[in-house]
């Protein structure tokens, strides 16, 4: 039997509008992820979960303002995603090491294999960072990997980053589909 899991990447308060590192229109990924969870109820939520003086923060010489600090409201998953999650994967918990991928420094791949998952459907935030890294790692780990275009949003630090990331993922063999395309495929 083939099992598909849905990975909701970093749908956390700090990446949503009003957060410390908000992704433009980041909240628009929530409804598509909820729709996907109806079809793929095995939901894994990843979260950035950083100690207070994490290496990725500007004060430590990193590229980002402080975000998703353990114990702060900004680290919380969106409640709708939290309510769906079968498994929550914390990443970037080592003060000295950053992790964009949910597979980086975690046992996610082993846990998914242990329950028979062979296909991953991925959405969340942000296209050009943690969605990118998680999808590329999933593909590399041997999972059949799809990214849902309606369920992701980009940071676009440099204009076009999001678009370029889509090309990169496509070149890596990752399937990029809209919700509608995915629904059509599944009822075939
Ligand atoms: Zn981070």
């Amino acid at each position: 039997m083939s099992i598909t899991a849905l990975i909701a990447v970093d749908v956390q308060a700090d990446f949503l509008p009003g957060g410390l590192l908000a992704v433009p229109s980041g909240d628009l990924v929530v409804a598509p992820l909820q729709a996907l969870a109806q079809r793929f109820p095995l939901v894994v939520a990843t979260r950035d979960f950083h100690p207070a003086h994490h290496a990725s923060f500007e004060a430590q010489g990193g590229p980002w303002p402080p975000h998703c600090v353990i114990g702060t409201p900004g680290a919380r998953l969106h409640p709708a995603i939290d309510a769906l999650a079968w498994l929550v994967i914390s990443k970037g918990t080592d003060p000295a090491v950053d992790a964009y991928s949910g597979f980086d420094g975690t046992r996610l791949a082993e846990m998914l294999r242990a329950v028979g998952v062979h296909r991953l459907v991925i959405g969340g935030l942000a296209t050009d960072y943690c969605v990118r890294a998680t999808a590329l790692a999933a593909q590399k780990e041997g999972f059949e990997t799809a990214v849902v275009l309606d369920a992701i949003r980009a940071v676009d630090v440099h204009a076009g980053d999001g678009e370029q990331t889509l090309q990169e993922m496509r070149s890596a063999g990752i399937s990029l589909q809209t919700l509608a395309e995915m629904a059509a495929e599944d009822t075939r």
Side-chain angles (χ1 to χ4, degrees):
M1 192 175 65
S2 72
I3 297 175
T4 300
L6 172 65
I7 300 188
V9 177
D10 297 10
V11 188
Q12 293 171 266
D14 271 345
F15 296 132
L16 294 166
L20 294 174
L21 189 46
V23 178
S25 305
D27 51 330
L28 297 183
V29 306
V30 175
L33 285 168
Q34 288 177 293
L36 287 163
Q38 296 291 315
R39 192 167 301 131
F40 309 117
L42 192 65
V43 179
V44 177
T46 68
R47 64 178 179 186
D48 241 10
F49 212 53
H50 296 316
H53 302 287
H54 190 250
S56 74
F57 299 167
E58 283 156 353
Q60 275 66 45
W64 304 114
H67 61 277
C68 300
V69 172
I70 297 167
T72 67
R76 287 187 196 138
L77 290 169
H78 186 287
I81 300 302
D82 196 22
L84 292 168
W86 164 72
L87 175 68
V88 176
I89 292 287
S90 302
K91 60 190 176 60
T93 58
D94 182 331
V97 186
D98 204 7
Y100 288 162
S101 159
F103 294 93
D104 191 356
T106 73
R107 302 188 64 195
L108 178 56
E110 294 157 75
M111 288 189 272
L112 291 171
R113 285 192 195 101
V115 294
V117 171
H118 86 124
R119 179 185 181 221
L120 296 175
V121 171
I122 299 175
L125 302 171
T127 308
D128 33 356
Y129 292 93
C130 294
V131 170
R132 170 188 178 275
T134 300
L136 290 172
Q139 180 79 2
K140 224 175 221 172
E141 288 283 353
F143 296 99
E144 185 187 329
T145 305
V147 169
V148 183
L149 294 165
D150 324 57
I152 57 175
R153 287 295 181 284
V155 177
D156 280 332
V157 169
H158 309 287
D161 279 356
E163 274 306 313
Q164 204 175 314
T165 300
L166 297 184
Q167 296 295 343
E168 184 187 8
M169 292 195 290
R170 198 176 281 120
S171 303
I174 293 165
S175 159
L176 304 181
Q177 289 175 278
T178 62
L179 263 180
E181 286 167 347
M182 195 158 271
E185 183 189 79
D186 283 1
T187 54
R188 231 177 5 208

